[in-house]
Amino acid sequence: MLEVLDGGWLTTVQDLGRPGYERYGIPVSGAMDVFAFRVANGLVGNPPGAAGLEITLMGPVLAATVPCLVAVTGADLTFQVDGREMPMWMSVFVRRGSVISFGGRRRGCRAYLAVAGGIEVPPVLGSRSTYLPGRFGGWEGRALRAGDRLPIGPVSGHLPERAGRRFPPHRLPAYSDSPTVRAVPGPQGDHFPPEGLETFFGAEYRVSPTSDRMGYRLEGPPVARLRAEIISDGVPPGAVQVPPDGQPIVMMADHQTTGGYPKIATVITVDLPLLAQCVPGESRVRFAAVDVAEAQRCYREMMEGLETGHG
């Protein structure tokens, strides 16, 4: 097991989510930065959807009660084992009794820790992801705290021999405190005048301190609208809603399943990790318009990169 000595600021068990229940009002949830999460699992030999930890801003302190193989990806929170800094985006062997900790944030918002065998908390609706607003999934439906003991699944092979596997640096996302995020205009583009679209795709927005796993609220020039609301319809990940105040909201992992605000654009899947690593209250973001064909091409390239990077 991994014993939690300190839960950090916000550390939860996540996987790739629980799709298929949106019609019942249950969000997919799962890791915010799916790319970093999948890479971490691949480095330790897990399936892409094995449960791991999502670590926000300030990391936990974990004691390994058994020898284990781990990898940390995503935000640089100064990953350490027994006080010694370890490389990120690489598999690391951790001896029994060693302590995993994080020395402080350097860049990014969310780090991901995968352990060979995965974290085997009981699945809820087919997923081990934590959905904090609903208080289910993960470890007792909540963030980790001191005293929790996380079971690790069985592994085969000699773990020390599997350490040192790296993900190619040139395949990493272009994480930044001020990223330009690509988005497909619409689906309710006709609800906005030309100047509204020009504002959205031309202005810089600050990520609001009130942003969370449900949505990233943006602060900047208000986006003009022609119509106030729509009949509620389905809301995909990355959808950019524009409420009456004109301040856009990007739907993230725990977003609601339906909504009645018009959607000016949808962030492409490949660039959602860039948003996930933006720090609320600090980071700024711009948007660039692309078409569906470009979004699909980028997604294929990302998936090919994941496969070859672990090959």
Side-chain angles (χ1 to χ4, degrees):
M1 292 188 177
L2 290 178
E3 182 178 357
V4 181
L5 305 180
D6 186 320
W9 186 73
L10 178 64
T11 305
T12 57
V13 177
Q14 300 292 343
D15 57 18
L16 293 180
R18 50 178 62 82
Y21 296 93
E22 294 99 318
R23 57 183 157 172
Y24 305 114
I26 298 174
V28 173
S29 298
M32 288 272 280
D33 183 343
V34 171
F35 183 91
F37 183 84
R38 292 177 65 113
V39 170
N41 269 326
L43 288 171
V44 298
N46 287 343
L53 298 183
E54 180 177 271
I55 300 162
T56 308
L57 294 176
M58 186 174 70
V61 180
L62 310 167
T65 65
V66 294
C68 55
L69 187 73
V70 305
V72 175
T73 60
D76 184 354
L77 306 183
T78 317
F79 167 41
Q80 300 175 341
V81 176
D82 292 334
R84 178 184 175 189
E85 186 170 352
M86 293 287 115
M88 293 184 56
W89 305 92
M90 187 183 88
S91 57
V92 174
F93 177 68
V94 178
R95 292 178 173 82
R96 178 179 179 179
S98 289
V99 174
I100 299 168
S101 61
F102 296 82
R105 187 181 77 87
R106 289 179 175 140
R107 66 188 65 88
C109 185
R110 293 173 174 88
Y112 294 87
L113 185 149
V115 55
I119 295 175
E120 287 208 329
V121 294
V124 176
L125 299 177
S127 168
R128 294 182 167 91
S129 280
T130 309
Y131 177 48
L132 291 172
R135 299 182 183 180
F136 63 80
W139 183 258
E140 299 181 354
R142 58 169 172 79
L144 300 185
R145 59 187 182 221
D148 294 339
R149 294 173 64 85
L150 305 174
I152 300 171
V155 294
S156 59
H158 188 53
L159 291 180
E161 294 178 353
R162 293 160 55 185
R165 190 179 189 187
R166 294 178 179 269
F167 191 79
H170 68 277
R171 295 194 180 276
L172 298 180
Y175 294 138
S176 168
D177 288 331
S178 55
T180 296
V181 175
R182 292 164 291 185
V184 177
Q188 281 96 34
D190 58 346
H191 283 56
F192 302 89
E195 59 267 28
L197 290 165
E198 290 173 6
T199 297
F200 178 74
F201 284 109
E204 181 180 71
Y205 288 90
R206 175 176 178 253
V207 179
S208 168
T210 61
S211 301
D212 56 22
R213 281 180 48 88
M214 292 184 68
Y216 265 29
R217 296 178 176 272
L218 306 180
E219 300 173 343
V223 175
R225 307 187 313 173
L226 293 173
R227 299 175 181 85
E229 295 185 1
I230 61 172
I231 296 173
S232 292
D233 64 359
V235 179
V240 185
Q241 293 184 325
V242 181
D245 64 2
Q247 300 296 293
I249 307 171
V250 185
M251 301 293 100
M252 303 301 281
D254 285 346
H255 69 84
Q256 71 273 20
T257 58
T258 63
Y261 295 139
K263 296 174 282 295
I264 194 170
T266 304
V267 175
I268 69 173
T269 300
V270 171
D271 284 359
L272 280 174
L274 304 184
L275 272 180
Q277 295 300 345
C278 287
V279 179
E282 296 183 15
S283 299
R284 296 180 177 273
V285 61
R286 289 181 177 271
F287 295 90
V290 297
D291 59 20
V292 172
E294 176 69 4
Q296 292 172 337
R297 184 191 65 80
C298 293
Y299 182 77
R300 287 192 295 268
E301 286 185 356
M302 180 187 76
M303 297 307 294
E304 290 169 3
L306 283 169
E307 293 174 4
T308 56
H310 288 140

